[in-house]
Amino acid sequence: MKAEFVTSAKEPKGYPPTEFPEIAFAGRSNVGKSSMINTLLGTRKLVKVGKTPGKTRLVNFFLVQDSIMLVDLPGYGYAKVSKEEKKQWGETIENYLTERTQLIACVLILDVRRDPNEDDLGMLFWFNHYGIRTIVALTKCDKLSNNQNASRVAAISKQLNISRDMFVLFSSLTGKGKDDIWKKIQEIVA
Ligand code: GDP
């Protein structure tokens, strides 16, 4: 898969002047977002994994197959940052969601083992508020059995009141769910 890093930006004026449809990835810091994007792009290097949580405050743009932009939003919800810093990442995410007309869908990444917290619900509220289509990726599914994963999908889809069709079980370790996410993205882009 052809994938290239385009740019990082904090403010809308730094976003690339491209017209490709964009799929944005959001999740709590350390949820496995960088690993997921690398897995989807078929690379280990484009996004740095395991960096200090809460340190990435930029919006990163990756162009795939000269046709779709994957957008890495800052990880949210890291406890050990100041109020001012939290406010800043909030603004960075909100600016992107409100101003970027190229945005066509978001992937909300959750740890399959954890119930969504209020930050996750807050993100979902924004997506709904702006009418952004949402795919929910439940990552680290290699940590649970198939039965356990199935009951987590049922529980979380109920908690979020989102149809199970929009859920994908994912693992960066095994690659499970990679094709499912690309299929959902292709359907939305088409
Ligand atoms: P980010 O902060 O959301 O970008 O998270 P990272 O991608 O940096 O991952 C955080 C930690 O979770 C790292 O130690 C990863 O190796 C680990 N991790 C990420 N995805 C998976 C997964 O699917 N399965 C397992 N077992 N570990 C994962």
Side-chain angles (χ1 to χ4, degrees):
M1 168 130 25
K2 185 181 171 197
E4 59 195 296
F5 170 72
V6 178
T7 193
S8 294
K10 191 156 179 236
E11 313 274 341
K13 63 179 188 308
Y15 298 164
T18 48
E19 295 294 338
F20 305 109
E22 296 185 358
I23 310 286
F25 290 73
R28 279 151 85 175
S29 95
N30 220 34
V31 74
K33 179 162 54 65
S34 313
S35 304
M36 176 179 291
I37 296 171
N38 281 331
T39 300
L40 291 174
L41 299 180
T43 161
R44 292 196 187 176
K45 301 175 290 199
L46 275 179
V47 195
K48 206 171 160 221
V49 171
K51 56 212 170 308
T52 315
K55 284 289 174 203
T56 317
R57 297 193 181 71
L58 301 173
V59 181
N60 301 304
F61 296 82
F62 301 93
L63 181 60
V64 183
Q65 304 283 56
D66 297 315
S67 60
I68 300 177
M69 200 81 89
L70 299 193
V71 179
D72 180 20
L73 296 174
Y76 53 81
Y78 185 58
K80 291 180 193 160
V81 297
S82 68
K83 249 191 179 158
E84 184 50 37
E85 284 174 300
K86 277 188 189 165
K87 193 169 150 249
Q88 275 185 17
W89 70 244
E91 280 169 10
T92 304
I93 293 174
E94 201 183 319
N95 279 340
Y96 176 80
L97 296 179
T98 54
E99 301 207 12
R100 192 64 166 167
T101 52
Q102 291 87 331
L103 173 65
I104 56 165
C106 281
V107 178
L108 180 68
I109 308 166
L110 303 172
D111 186 320
V112 69
R113 299 164 299 171
R114 294 189 179 190
D115 289 334
N117 73 0
E118 59 178 54
D119 292 321
D120 299 318
L121 296 173
M123 283 305 298
L124 208 54
F125 174 85
W126 279 111
F127 297 164
N128 290 334
H129 186 75
Y130 291 108
I132 302 163
R133 293 188 64 173
T134 308
I135 299 166
V136 182
L138 300 182
T139 194
K140 306 193 184 181
C141 76
D142 54 276
K143 303 245 189 197
L144 299 180
S145 70
N146 288 343
N147 279 340
Q148 288 172 320
N149 279 321
S151 52
R152 291 302 295 152
V153 172
I156 298 174
S157 70
K158 206 168 163 190
Q159 285 166 26
L160 299 181
N161 195 22
I162 294 181
S163 155
R164 281 190 212 187
D165 305 347
M166 295 320 288
F167 280 72
V168 177
L169 283 164
F170 188 87
S171 166
S172 298
L173 220 66
T174 66
K176 182 180 158 69
K178 178 179 171 177
D179 293 347
D180 295 335
I181 293 192
W182 273 122
K183 203 168 147 227
K184 286 201 161 32
I185 291 174
Q186 298 295 354
E187 282 167 9
I188 291 171
V189 171

